[in-house]
Amino acid sequence: VYLERILKDNDIIGFSRGRALSHLVGNLLPTNRKNLTVTQLVGGLNAQETSTNSDNIVRDSAQILKAKPCFMYAPIIVENKELRDSMLSQSFFSSVYDTMKQCTVAVVGIGNFTNQTGLVPKSFMFEEEYRALKNQSAIGEICTYYFNADGAIIHCGINERVFALDYESYMKIPVRVGIAGGSEKVQAIAGAIKGKLINVLITDIDTANGLRSLF
């Protein structure tokens, strides 16, 4: 309901991935807004999670909102920076990134670093990357960018291997909506709020009550 209420003609809506976003899209209603575009903010993972992948979320939301879909057609993470940079140098990916950077609304899941079902689970990391995040007290993640309890971004090698909107461009998106809930996500949600990674939160009443004690 919130998303349908704030959308304006010509908006570009960027989605990350996850169960909460898939559920939100499944409950969207058609809108009379004109010239909408929906785009991925991150690449896809694999065929085992089709309903929660960013490309499927974009496809489904485009159909409901009668919007133009913009697909990345890339994995969320590759083996090394050189491969990522080589792919980004192609005109197709440059065009997709231009659209991503023009987003007016971002709708993102909030991952919990201790939860192996997060956007980039441990199995997708090199061991040294995981250790670096753990040693620097990573608590959560948005669009593959990990942060600590204060919302400060933690830089490690994984940032150079992902297909995702860059952090600086993400922070320029005017409306950044976080979708998350559950007691296991409270600390991560609080960090996202403190770091201004989101400026709107959609959650459940129990999670909201849990957050009150942290502010």
Side-chain angles (χ1 to χ4, degrees):
V1 175
Y2 173 79
L3 189 60
E4 295 150 359
R5 189 170 71 245
I6 66 165
L7 288 180
K8 306 181 298 298
D9 292 349
N10 306 309
D11 268 341
I12 300 177
I13 309 107
F15 289 96
S16 62
R17 67 173 298 281
R19 288 188 298 271
L21 266 67
S22 179
H23 181 73
L24 177 143
V25 169
N27 286 278
L28 281 177
L29 296 174
T31 177
N32 59 3
R33 301 305 184 208
K34 306 299 183 185
N35 195 36
L36 296 177
T37 300
V38 291
T39 183
Q40 294 176 244
L41 293 177
V42 300
L45 273 178
N46 55 48
Q48 296 175 1
E49 297 181 305
T50 53
S51 64
T52 61
N53 251 337
S54 57
D55 48 0
N56 286 282
I57 288 171
V58 164
R59 183 178 295 108
D60 293 345
S61 62
Q63 292 176 348
I64 296 168
L65 300 174
K66 294 181 171 59
K68 174 186 175 183
C70 180
F71 298 107
M72 193 178 297
Y73 296 118
I76 199 169
I77 191 166
V78 292
E79 284 297 312
N80 54 62
K81 179 181 185 298
E82 290 73 23
L83 178 56
R84 195 275 306 264
D85 291 349
S86 175
M87 294 175 69
L88 287 179
S89 69
Q90 303 302 310
S91 59
F92 170 78
F93 288 108
S94 297
S95 175
V96 172
Y97 263 67
D98 286 343
T99 300
M100 292 163 63
K101 289 180 179 181
Q102 294 174 49
C103 278
T104 51
V105 179
V107 186
V108 299
I110 301 173
N112 182 350
F113 180 65
T114 62
N115 181 352
Q116 296 308 305
T117 61
L119 265 75
V120 182
K122 185 181 178 183
S123 60
F124 284 81
M125 296 182 189
F126 295 138
E127 186 61 34
E128 60 268 25
E129 294 169 346
Y130 180 77
R131 285 199 304 269
L133 290 170
K134 190 173 182 179
N135 291 340
Q136 295 181 68
S137 303
I139 198 169
E141 162 271 321
I142 287 178
C143 288
T144 74
Y145 291 95
Y146 287 83
F147 54 89
N148 63 19
D150 295 320
I153 294 298
I154 298 171
H155 298 282
C156 73
I158 199 170
N159 302 119
E160 299 180 340
R161 303 193 294 117
V162 296
F163 280 91
L165 180 63
D166 65 275
Y167 171 74
E168 290 76 15
S169 296
Y170 169 78
M171 292 298 288
K172 291 178 182 177
I173 298 174
V175 181
R176 302 183 298 280
V177 184
I179 313 286
S183 58
E184 75 281 1
K185 292 286 187 76
V186 169
Q187 296 289 334
I189 295 170
I193 294 171
K194 292 174 182 177
K196 304 186 187 305
L197 295 162
I198 59 173
N199 48 28
V200 177
L201 173 65
I202 297 177
T203 190
D204 58 82
I205 187 65
D206 291 336
T207 304
N209 286 332
L211 286 165
R212 292 177 61 185
S213 64
L214 300 178
F215 292 91

